[in-house]
Amino acid sequence: MAPRKLDLSGNRYGALVVIAEAHTHSRPGGDVVTYWRCNCDCGRTVDVPGPSLRRKKAPTVTCGDRGAHRSGKAHPMFGKLREESGNWKGDAVAYTTAHARVKAEHGAASDWRCACGCGRQAAEWAYLGTDPNPKVSTHADSEGSLYSSTPEHYAPLAKPCHRSFDVWQAQRRTGVPIVLVIAEALAA
């Protein structure tokens, strides 16, 4: 019985979205590799071997145009003003866009002293948990983090104060004992 053929169409791998099977290639050892046609977020179309997409360690996640991806050309907002974005003025903003709003309105967090009163230089904008309708991040780097689309719900904090505040917030929000929250934070 022949193995089922894997269909990657529609799957996203980093900046690549698989459109369809492109072609197959026979290797000298007799293995047959399927190449998949992918659209990259930067606008290029590339054919990528299936194993390269599905690899657990260092998978292929871009078209390979390092210049486009380093310069930000792959981002859908490249070359546009923030204000031209459909997400900039509205309430439907991503985690990073919300933080960009805070920085645009209040400047860099490092321009401020820590809001907790410790006297240290602030380093990051921290969501205070004061928005009655907070959003939950789905981005890989911040998955599960609460945030607000409104800049007044943020304060500048030093990194250690921000970490402590986030741990306190998580414990308060979940009801999980603080010892477990800290252990999980240290394990991450």
Side-chain angles (χ1 to χ4, degrees), residues 6-19 36-41 46 48-56 58-63 69:
L6 189 62
D7 185 10
L8 303 180
S9 300
N11 290 355
R12 176 175 276 279
Y13 299 92
L16 299 174
V17 176
V18 179
I19 304 166
W36 295 88
R37 179 134 312 132
C38 302
N39 277 340
C40 186
D41 289 346
V46 292
V48 181
S52 294
L53 291 170
R54 297 185 320 273
R55 186 178 302 139
K56 291 204 188 296
T60 301
V61 294
T62 70
C63 64
H69 292 274

Side-chain angles (χ1 to χ4, degrees), residues 7 33 38 55 71 105 111 131 147 180:
D7 185 10
V33 177
C38 302
R55 186 178 302 139
S71 68
E105 188 163 313
D111 293 343
D131 189 337
Y147 68 100
L180 296 176

Side-chain angles (χ1 to χ4, degrees), residues 82-131:
R82 289 186 279 241
E83 294 76 13
E84 293 173 355
S85 164
N87 287 338
W88 182 254
K89 292 184 181 179
D91 194 39
V93 297
Y95 181 85
T96 52
T97 305
H99 281 77
R101 261 188 200 177
V102 176
K103 186 176 179 181
E105 188 163 313
H106 299 297
S110 59
D111 293 343
W112 298 76
R113 288 274 174 214
C114 184
C116 81
C118 69
R120 289 182 256 202
Q121 191 70 31
E124 303 168 331
W125 286 105
Y127 170 61
L128 297 173
T130 54
D131 189 337

